[in-house]
Amino acid sequence: MLKVMHLAANSTTSNSQWEDLTQLPAPNTVQWDNIKTQLDLVLLAVETLTGIGSEAMLSAATHLNLESKVPDRVALWRLRQSNPIRKGQGGRKKLDVEEARSLVLIICYLAKQHQELIRRAVGLLEQMAQDNREPHQAALLGDYIDAFCNVYQERMEEDEQISTDLLTRLALKLLVDLLFYSASGGHRRLWLALIDRSAK
Amino acid sequence: MPTLNSVIRRYTPPTCTLEILAQSSPLSQWMGRTVLKQLSFELRFDDPRIPEERRVPIRGDRDQLEALCDAVTSYVQEILQQSSENFWINFSGNEDSSKVPQDSELTDFQQPSSPTQTFQSFSSLTPGTKIHLEPGKYLTHNLFLGSLANQVSGPVIQLSLLQLFDLATALDEYSADVMALPSLNKTSPIRRLPAWTPVAAVLVLSVGLLPITLQYANNTRQKQPSTAKKTTSADEQVALAPSLDFSTPQPGLTPPDNLSSLPPLGSTQPLPTDSLPQKPLTAPNSSLPSTLPPVSQLPPQDTSTIPQGTIPTLNSSQQNPTSATGNPQISIQPNIKQNSTGSISQNEIGLPKKRDLLPNLSSTTGSLSPNISPVPSSIPTLPQNYKPFDPRQLEEKTNSSGTVASSKQPSSELSPTSSTSSAVADSDSLVTRLRGESPNTSSTKAPTDSTLFDTPQIAEARDLLKDRWQPPAGLTQTLEYSLMVGVDGTIERIFPLNKPAREYVDSTGMPDIGKPFVSANRYGKNLRIRVILSPNGKVQTLPETD
């Protein structure tokens, strides 16, 4: 796995990034639900930290030549709706490997675009941890945590409801993850994390 | 162009600086990415929280850098794969009893007021620790330096998340940028080069050396005293050729079966005995010495390697389609040539070993059987080229080599015993035999009409001029021109290179400037052709390289 990461860490264009991902193992069906959830949650973190909406995601898809997979808002919504813990029954519940790859590339593209902000947020988080203060006392983090929790509770199933504390931890973990996804090899990191996590 | 490139790569994410120092390998041009050897690195963490005097760089070699890469990459991946619950368990500051001792130790490190503690734990922790990372307190990560640790850095460096991220980014970029060669004098099994690269390198080297040898042969033939200086420089470069022979058998670089691409060099290289110059060695090559600089100017080895080591190369490569079609003008060649000196200097370090081996051989010659296993290890090119010989010839060969060693080191306790006088004769006869065996001695190999460098254009030019060249009556000197040929094959300029060439330019039969001459260059390049017209009607065309 490490060798694979090394080999393709240099990819810069979206095409080669796509090829990177196709060379990595694809998840098996059993763990697919986990991956769908995870992708949706990472996107949720990007959304709530940066305040971007589906417009930015769609333009990222265009920039990455992924229009065929993610052509419009409805398509994007359907992809995210594949997350099994989402509310609502009307959406499409399937996500194929290519669509998962597309979402990975879009996430990493957005993370890279907002790397400065992510970096600042992580720096603040470290500072707060060192000072033994609650993260939400820092405005940037507080806003993010609030937004994340709100949107999460708004979109996810009632029976998946978890405590604010747990949600805060989830939000901050996803923030840290986003930092690493924002690097040039981030798409590989995200994909491998999805696979490995789902295999557990 | 510098002979040895000390390449420095610098990766500078916000909180750390990674510098890569290395020599660039000639293979770089073939791999399409930078290939480095003798790589070392320097890593600095720019952390304002750490006092200035502790911000010392971490230095290490390539293996250590690879280990660091692996450690960091896998650690980052571990973090990403953790669920948020596990993640926070690791980082919350008030739990996990197992980590407490470590943590307290680490906080000690962070306090500049406790240098003695640092050094104590340094000595206690360093042995056996390999490079790895562990989660620390408050979202920090402890990088255990293992073999990279030094007195000032201590065994562990505490990294913030951002520092870890920056370190991972720098290492990622390095991995993407650099393909490192295993250093030549190591037996490290790590190889990242495809198997064909040594072959390619050898081919490039041999192709790269061809223009020199041809130029040399050409100059020799022209017997122009004015080119004597040029010849000397060619000789110096030709002297590089033997290094091919020594460098290829390096176990890390070349599978033994690739050696076959170089047989003629190998066949002569082991011979350069110091005793040769005392012999009338040059007699068989009577055409050569006329333009050779005085022997005293040349290292003794050159006199033996020039006639045999280089000219046969032409022939051997001629059978090789790759080099035959290779455009001699590609810009790679000069680089290869230059860079090869780098490998020579390395290989020369290995030479004394070889020399040490030779006396052993001569001391055991009496018992040498036809199956001489030690020979290949000491003189790697022997087995292939000496197969046609009977064991006795091998014996002579080893004897003569033994003489070399002893004559170079008269004080050596391995005295040549009785073989000294006979070895001289033996080596001479062996040389003669070798020369007889190789059909390409200089006298027969002196540039013929068609050369290895023939591109279609060169051949076309020759054919055309052969048809047209009618030596004017009274012409006694050769005419020499340098022609510039455009991409489309028309003549762009004609430079007469000597006085008669100027006088007779109209009677050469060459097309006028701007007229089509040869076919278009398939590489889209201009071409310079040297045209040599002899009074006896002979036509030579050669590609000119700058």
Side-chain angles (χ1 to χ4, degrees), chain A residues 148-181:
Chain A
F148 184 88
C149 292
N150 286 339
V151 177
Y152 185 96
Q153 281 161 345
E154 193 182 299
R155 292 186 191 167
M156 305 305 157
E157 287 284 358
E158 294 284 324
D159 55 337
E160 289 291 333
Q161 205 162 35
I162 48 176
S163 72
T164 315
D165 199 33
L166 279 178
L167 270 184
T168 302
R169 291 185 166 205
L170 176 60
L172 294 177
K173 167 67 163 68
L174 289 170
L175 171 64
V176 172
D177 291 352
L178 277 180
L179 176 66
F180 287 97
Y181 301 152

Side-chain angles (χ1 to χ4, degrees), chain A residues 2-3 5-6 10 115 119 125-126 129-130 169 172-173 176-177 179-180 182-183 189 192-193 196-197, chain B residues 14 49 69-70 73 76-77 79-82 84 87-88 138-139 160-162 165-166 168 172 176 192:
Chain A
L2 295 177
K3 294 299 173 204
M5 286 199 70
H6 282 195
N10 61 338
Q115 195 189 43
R119 229 191 136 90
L125 176 63
E126 285 184 308
Q130 220 160 26
R169 291 185 166 205
L172 294 177
K173 167 67 163 68
V176 172
D177 291 352
L179 176 66
F180 287 97
S182 71
R189 288 186 178 143
L192 291 170
D196 273 34
R197 187 200 286 251
Chain B
R49 295 169 304 169
C69 265
D70 284 352
T73 311
V76 165
Q77 204 60 38
I79 291 182
L80 295 177
Q81 282 156 16
Q82 271 170 356
S84 77
F87 178 77
W88 292 108
Y138 305 124
L139 289 175
S160 71
L161 259 176
L162 291 179
F165 170 68
D166 287 338
D172 252 16
R192 293 197 168 187

Side-chain angles (χ1 to χ4, degrees), chain A residues 26-82:
Chain A
N28 61 34
T29 49
V30 182
Q31 277 85 21
W32 201 232
D33 276 0
N34 268 336
I35 288 175
K36 291 190 276 193
T37 302
Q38 188 64 18
L39 281 173
D40 189 33
L41 288 180
V42 180
L43 267 178
L44 182 66
V46 176
E47 264 185 295
T48 51
L49 177 70
T50 63
I52 58 167
S54 50
E55 298 303 317
M57 297 181 198
L58 288 174
S59 85
T62 311
H63 188 270
L64 294 165
N65 296 320
L66 297 172
E67 284 159 302
S68 58
K69 278 107 186 168
V70 193
D72 52 34
R73 293 185 62 178
V74 177
L76 178 63
W77 178 79
R78 285 188 165 182
L79 291 184
R80 300 190 63 182
Q81 199 68 19
S82 67

Side-chain angles (χ1 to χ4, degrees), chain B residues 261-328:
Chain B
S261 57
L262 277 180
L265 281 177
S267 67
T268 56
Q269 176 47 32
L271 274 183
T273 60
D274 281 0
S275 57
L276 282 181
Q278 305 160 5
K279 314 296 302 169
L281 175 68
T282 49
N285 313 312
S286 49
S287 68
L288 272 179
S290 54
T291 56
L292 274 178
V295 175
S296 60
Q297 287 180 3
L298 288 170
Q301 290 194 343
D302 286 352
T303 53
S304 64
T305 52
I306 290 166
Q308 295 193 330
T310 64
I311 294 171
T313 309
L314 281 173
N315 210 33
S316 76
S317 308
Q318 219 161 5
Q319 299 154 359
N320 191 322
T322 315
S323 48
T325 56
N327 185 343

